Amino acid sequence: MAIVITLDHMLQQRGMTLSELAGRIDITLANLSILKTGKARAIRFSTLDAICRELRCTPGDLLGHDPAATQDDRA
């Protein structure tokens, strides 16, 4: 998929752990980890809003598009 998730970079910039963010936005660590590793197939706007609120960022700071990263996942 050409969508790139930069959550780990944002967490590092903010000096926050994934566990801390999960607790602040009331989402399981497992689900947040799936998002961080780019394995998520979707994200709720309410979750994206909560992440942006806690990290003081915009969706564009967390999501990018890299056509070179595209891979055929229709296997």
Side-chain angles (χ1 to χ4, degrees):
M1 183 180 316
I3 301 300
V4 179
I5 309 295
T6 59
L7 180 58
D8 55 344
H9 179 71
M10 291 302 298
L11 286 167
Q12 188 175 44
Q13 281 186 331
R14 301 301 191 258
M16 189 182 300
T17 66
L18 196 64
S19 298
E20 185 179 354
L21 179 61
R24 287 184 180 197
I25 64 172
D26 196 30
I27 188 172
T28 66
L29 182 57
N31 283 338
L32 199 52
S33 180
I34 289 169
L35 177 62
K36 184 184 104 115
T37 59
K39 294 180 182 177
R41 292 249 189 227
I43 183 171
R44 293 177 189 256
F45 283 141
S46 59
T47 301
L48 184 57
D49 178 57
I51 292 171
C52 288
R53 181 187 67 240
E54 291 302 320
L55 294 178
R56 298 174 315 280
C57 67
T58 67
D61 295 328
L62 296 169
L63 304 172
H65 184 260
D66 181 3
T70 302
Q71 57 184 339
D72 188 4
D73 62 346
R74 290 177 266 153

